[in-house]
Amino acid sequence: MAGLQSLMAERGLLQIMATHSPLSARLAEEAGFDGLWASGFELSALYGLADVSLITMTQHLEMLRAIAARSSLPIVADIDTGFGNAVNLVHAVREYERAGAACVVIEDKSFPKVTSLVADGRQDLLRIEEFQGKIEAACASRQSEDFLIVARVEALIAGLGQAEALKRAEAYVEAGADMILIHSKQKTPEEIEAFIAAWSGAVPLVLVPTAYPEMTVERMRATGKVGMAIWGNHTVRAVVTAIQDVYRRILAEGGIQEVDKDIVPVGEIFRLQDMDEVKDIERRFLR
Ligand code: SPV
Ligand code: MG
């Protein structure tokens, strides 16, 4: 599998789709995305839980391994705060690299964290030096240079302003980060565009434009400084939209007779489960 650096060199901006399951990963690959975002928010939602460090590393890793087994796309692993301090992070980096991730994204919040996009969420950041230590530890504990360490700057989310965000991003690059994920929850792209304009371009940026959807692929490409766009929670939101609609209709329409034509046939699920291969194995080897 090509590393993310070489994919970026070849394709420019990579589009990375959120995933919470092997099934959604497979659909993202078939749709043509460049990579997968193993999102903590999506997996938390799958468990019906808030994204506040309740999901354990083991749960997240287990899902990532299952995803890696069913998709050949590079996986960008959202490891939140790294599950603790530099000691926990070293262990996490080793485990995620071994599990088949292409990259880890580590955010500069304290553990336990609060999800970034919620209004009035508690957003406590680590001291810059402490997070630099974590980034250095992460870089020192990877096996391959192709395994990217992405530092996620939450200063804008915490309302600390551009100067603090830039100071942190520069400090994290100095500590060895391969890319900077700069996150914002403003409803329009201006805050992020101001950051991008001020960014030296020492390493490429990663954006998660969930809160500011007018930030199109074209607009990100035009900056020349964005290496990855993460569509952060569009899989779980699409799933919830579809489920709510079908459930409502089955009750309102008195059965499944109307929705049947509007949802994929069972055969499509068989295809995604590789049932043809199962039949082939049975034909050849069951005696
Ligand atoms: C996630 O998808 O888990 C993220 C992105 O970290 S966000 O929830 O928008 O902060
Ligand atoms: Mg997350």
Side-chain angles (χ1 to χ4, degrees):
M1 188 206 304
L4 285 166
Q5 293 280 31
S6 53
L7 274 187
M8 276 184 276
E10 184 189 310
R11 300 181 191 170
L13 180 80
L14 301 181
Q15 295 192 57
I16 310 294
M17 178 47 77
T19 182
H20 55 252
S21 64
L23 178 62
S24 57
R26 197 153 178 195
L27 294 171
E29 182 161 5
E30 288 184 358
F33 289 99
D34 301 298
L36 301 168
W37 170 237
S39 159
F41 178 84
E42 291 228 351
L43 190 59
S44 302
L46 199 72
Y47 279 92
L49 293 172
D51 181 21
V52 291
S53 300
L54 299 177
I55 295 295
T56 65
M57 184 178 90
T58 307
Q59 286 173 300
H60 191 255
L61 257 178
E62 188 174 280
M63 184 56 79
L64 186 136
R65 286 196 190 101
I67 288 169
R70 298 295 287 153
S71 167
S72 61
L73 289 182
I75 304 174
V76 177
D78 173 16
I79 64 166
D80 292 354
T81 63
F83 309 99
N85 64 17
V87 177
N88 304 76
L89 180 57
V90 165
H91 177 59
V93 165
R94 290 179 182 149
E95 290 290 312
Y96 278 84
E97 186 172 10
R98 221 185 337 252
C103 163
V104 284
V105 176
I106 312 149
E107 61 200 54
D108 60 356
K109 294 207 284 228
S110 61
F111 177 89
K113 60 157 240 182
V114 170
T115 195
S116 299
L117 299 184
V118 70
D120 305 320
R122 175 185 58 78
Q123 302 295 340
D124 297 333
L125 303 197
L126 295 186
R127 286 176 297 105
I128 292 179
E129 299 71 32
E130 186 177 356
F131 195 67
Q132 278 184 309
K134 289 177 77 168
I135 294 297
E136 283 175 30
C139 293
S141 49
R142 64 181 155 188
Q143 290 293 310
S144 162
E145 293 285 311
D146 287 341
F147 183 78
L148 301 188
I149 306 295
V150 178
R152 168 166 162 174
V153 176
E154 292 281 294
L156 300 177
I157 295 287
L160 301 177
Q162 290 286 351
E164 180 69 15
L166 280 165
K167 185 165 111 187
R168 283 177 174 264
E170 280 156 16
Y172 303 159
V173 172
E174 198 185 301
D178 297 299
M179 300 179 84
I180 293 292
L181 189 159
I182 179 69
H183 207 10
S184 164
K185 62 180 174 194
Q186 294 297 311
K187 302 271 182 286
T188 59
E190 281 77 32
E191 181 178 62
I192 277 293
E193 285 182 328
F195 181 95
I196 297 171
W199 181 241
S200 65
V203 300
L205 299 173
V206 183
L207 301 186
V208 188
T210 310
Y212 48 99
E214 299 103 275
M215 193 69 171
T216 59
V217 170
E218 196 184 343
R219 208 158 154 178
M220 284 184 266
R221 276 214 182 97
T223 69
K225 295 182 189 172
V226 182
M228 289 197 276
I230 294 175
W231 308 123
N233 55 27
H234 296 76
T235 297
V236 75
R237 287 165 64 198
V239 165
V240 170
T241 305
I243 290 178
Q244 285 176 335
D245 181 54
V246 168
Y247 287 4
R248 180 189 55 72
R249 284 183 57 192
I250 290 171
L251 290 177
E253 293 163 2
I256 56 174
Q257 71 285 2
E258 296 298 326
V259 293
D260 199 60
K261 60 184 181 319
D262 296 329
I263 57 180
V264 294
V266 180
E268 173 62 355
I269 309 302
F270 290 155
R271 184 185 71 78
L272 291 162
Q273 293 173 312
D274 290 337
M275 263 318 287
D276 280 351
E277 190 195 0
V278 174
K279 283 194 212 153
D280 185 50
I281 294 169
E282 286 208 337
R283 200 176 50 246
R284 291 165 60 206
F285 302 116
L286 282 196
R287 296 186 189 145

